[in-house]
């Protein structure tokens, strides 16, 4: 199982990832987020020229096709993670140009398979995240502040057959390595590609704590 660290905002954070054994780096292109990629001066050329083995993922929320394509080229991204209400058609438009990850934020009573099924043929990966249980307009406003740090209710995935590689996300914290390892042994995890670490691995909003990531990875890989 690989690890994705989401919300990289400095070159130092980026450089540290391959040495930590992290496979996916997430860069957020959503201005209201406290972990917006350029917030602390990270430059597109530096990321584009960074050649270490790392899969660079740009996170977008309801952005236009033109903006996404331009950002992919500017930053040298390998994949886009679409974290808003993007349709299967929008995913399909991007697929010839860049790998596509569709993110879903589930709230209680959402039907997981029903929600994701139309995206199987137009994505490379899915990301299962936590939503905020509010009416749609209020929910969007709440999500504008970014990651929710609420744990995705993994119980709801138990017994499901998810026929697409997926990233498990949503409030995963430094103390969750055992919980993740347990999940990885369940039948639903047959296509588990990676786990996503974000706001609970920060010193302050937008700046990651490498020591927390290192300790989590060591615990995750313990036999
Ligand atoms: O992290 C953000 O600020 C953010 C803002 C808008 C859209 C997506 C965002 N994050 C994307 C991720 O993939 C996060 O890692 C994911 O939401 C889980 O975050 P957390 O709840 O902090 O574990």
């Amino acid at each position: 199982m690989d690890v994705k660290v989401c919300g990289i905002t400095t070159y130092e954070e980026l450089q540290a990832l391959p040495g930590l054994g992290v496979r996916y780096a997430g860069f957020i292109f959503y201005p209201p987020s406290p972990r917006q990629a350029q917030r602390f001066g990270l430059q597109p050329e530096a990321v584009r020229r960074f050649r270490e083995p790392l899969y660079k993922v740009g996170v977008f929320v309801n952005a236009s096709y033109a903006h996404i394509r331009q950002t992919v080229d500017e930053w040298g991204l390998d994949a886009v993670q679409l974290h808003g209400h993007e349709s299967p058609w929008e995913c399909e438009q991007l697929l010839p140009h860049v790998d596509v990850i569709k993110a879903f934020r589930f709230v209680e009573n959402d039907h997981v398979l029903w929600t994701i099924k139309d995206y199987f043929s137009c994505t490379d990966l899915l990301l299962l995240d936590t939503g905020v249980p509010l009416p749609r307009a209020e929910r969007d406003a709440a999500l504008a502040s970014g990651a929710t740090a609420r744990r995705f209710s993994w119980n709801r995935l138990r017994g499901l057959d998810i026929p697409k590689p997926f990233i498990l996300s949503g409030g995963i914290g430094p103390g969750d390595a055992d919980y993740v390892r347990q999940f990885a042994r369940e039948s639903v995890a047959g296509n588990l590609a990676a786990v996503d670490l974000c706001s609970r691995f920060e010193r302050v909003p937008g700046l990651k704590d490498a020591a927390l990531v290192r300790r989590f990875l060591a615990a995750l890989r313990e036999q």
Side-chain angles (χ1 to χ4, degrees):
M1 182 201 336
D2 283 316
V3 168
K4 168 170 172 266
V5 175
C6 202
I8 297 302
T9 55
T10 69
Y11 194 66
E12 291 67 36
E13 288 181 352
L14 178 65
Q15 275 182 311
L17 295 179
L20 290 170
V22 171
R23 165 110 174 84
Y24 300 84
F27 302 90
I28 296 181
F29 299 101
Y30 182 56
S33 169
R35 45 198 74 81
Q36 212 255 343
Q38 277 179 298
R39 178 167 176 213
F40 297 103
L42 185 61
Q43 291 301 309
E45 309 77 56
V47 174
R48 196 176 60 237
R49 294 208 185 104
F50 190 75
R51 296 275 178 226
E52 297 287 326
L54 197 63
Y55 190 74
K56 296 178 230 169
V57 180
V59 178
F60 299 87
V61 181
N62 302 323
S64 72
Y65 174 83
H67 173 65
I68 295 174
R69 289 289 310 272
Q70 189 191 336
T71 311
V72 166
D73 290 344
E74 238 179 5
W75 289 71
L77 302 174
D78 301 299
V80 294
Q81 177 178 319
L82 305 178
H83 223 102
H85 308 302
E86 299 83 3
S87 64
W89 183 83
E90 288 172 282
C91 297
E92 213 169 273
Q93 299 308 297
L94 289 161
L95 206 51
H97 308 288
V98 65
D99 288 355
V100 175
I101 303 171
K102 179 69 186 91
F104 300 90
R105 287 178 139 155
F106 292 104
V107 295
E108 225 46 57
N109 302 325
D110 281 345
H111 191 296
V112 175
L113 285 181
W114 183 260
T115 308
I116 65 180
K117 69 178 175 33
D118 292 340
Y119 291 85
F120 292 162
S121 63
C122 59
T123 57
D124 296 283
L125 264 173
L126 307 176
L127 182 141
L128 310 181
D129 195 3
T130 318
V132 180
L134 295 170
R136 180 72 163 253
E138 287 171 53
R139 194 201 297 190
D140 288 350
L143 289 174
S145 63
T148 67
R150 290 192 202 186
R151 186 185 285 153
F152 178 58
S153 178
W154 302 342
N155 281 343
R156 299 171 52 225
L157 298 181
R158 288 216 159 86
L160 296 184
D161 176 13
I162 301 177
K164 212 53 215 177
F166 70 96
I167 299 175
L168 187 67
S169 175
I172 296 173
D176 287 335
D178 279 350
Y179 201 32
V180 169
R181 289 198 310 180
Q182 206 177 312
F183 179 85
R185 286 195 286 268
E186 297 195 19
S187 62
V188 62
N191 273 318
L192 176 63
V195 289
D196 183 289
L197 315 182
C198 189
S199 61
R200 295 186 64 196
F201 289 82
E202 292 179 335
R203 294 181 265 142
V204 293
L207 288 173
K208 292 286 174 296
D209 184 330
L212 285 182
V213 176
R214 186 178 299 109
R215 280 204 291 274
F216 178 85
L217 278 157
L220 192 63
R221 284 163 188 166
E222 260 169 31
Q223 288 309 310

